[in-house]
Amino acid sequence: YEITCRDWSSDVCSSDLPHFIQLESSNLVLLKLTRPEQEDLIISKSEDGGWQINVPGASVTEGNIAQIVAEFNAIQVKQQLNLDLDLTTLGLDNPQYSFTLTQGDGTQHIIKIGSANPLNTDYYAQLDAGAPVLVSQGSIDNIVSIIESAATPPTPTPAPTKTDG
């Protein structure tokens, strides 16, 4: 069945739309963030069950993974769009962010995040080869910032230097 909403201010509409994706952090084994003209950030589960990121000196915690999964699960679909829309106009042909999520059983999901909408409140997004949707920017921006901050190695504290005193 299909639900169409004329009045976007009503709460009925927002609650009828599905979640964008539902993930289990325990099933996740690899997460790749691809951005144009930047090196991919790859977070993978190591054999001992810990997490690593492909940036020397940087580290990812179980807490970071839990936050990332929670943010993915919090992504709300604001509006479903037609499959026949031109993906170029939505920025999905060359997405600003692309997430590849690999689960332990080999299942893979690709999430493309395209342009912001004209109001700059939502992003056009696509899960696998599904119809494009409009999703709220907050969760996407949080996911990217969690991954980017995990990818930033801690700044070493300079050793105290002896001063002439």
Side-chain angles (χ1 to χ4, degrees):
Y1 64 98
E2 192 174 308
I3 299 164
T4 54
C5 279
R6 302 255 179 266
D7 176 14
W8 287 105
S9 64
S10 88
D11 289 336
V12 179
C13 295
S14 58
S15 63
D16 287 337
L17 289 167
H19 281 281
F20 184 63
I21 190 169
Q22 292 291 268
L23 296 172
E24 290 284 334
S25 56
S26 58
N27 294 345
L28 198 63
V29 293
L30 188 117
L31 164 62
K32 179 169 84 170
L33 169 61
T34 306
R35 300 156 298 172
E37 293 163 38
Q38 294 185 53
E39 202 172 317
D40 290 353
L41 293 175
I42 301 170
I43 297 173
S44 56
K45 198 170 205 167
S46 52
E47 291 189 11
D48 64 8
W51 290 91
Q52 60 207 19
I53 189 163
N54 64 332
V55 176
S59 68
V60 180
T61 64
E62 192 68 50
N64 295 140
I65 300 300
Q67 273 183 294
I68 291 167
V69 168
E71 290 292 353
F72 272 117
N73 290 339
I75 297 172
Q76 286 288 330
V77 173
K78 297 284 198 72
Q79 189 178 355
Q80 291 181 308
L81 306 167
N82 289 333
L83 244 176
D84 56 7
L85 274 172
D86 181 7
L87 296 183
T88 310
T89 58
L90 305 179
L92 290 167
D93 59 324
N94 185 15
Q96 58 173 322
Y97 304 120
S98 180
F99 300 98
T100 306
L101 305 163
T102 307
Q103 293 175 262
D105 63 3
T107 310
Q108 202 172 59
H109 290 294
I110 296 175
I111 298 172
K112 294 178 187 168
I113 306 298
S115 312
N117 66 339
L119 297 171
N120 206 25
T121 52
D122 304 309
Y123 288 124
Y124 295 106
Q126 185 179 31
L127 173 59
D128 300 324
V133 294
L134 208 51
V135 298
S136 50
Q137 278 183 5
S139 291
I140 304 295
D141 292 345
N142 287 347
I143 292 165
V144 172
S145 78
I146 293 165
I147 295 172
E148 287 179 341
S149 66
T152 309
T155 311
T157 311
T161 50
K162 198 170 184 179
T163 56
D164 299 333

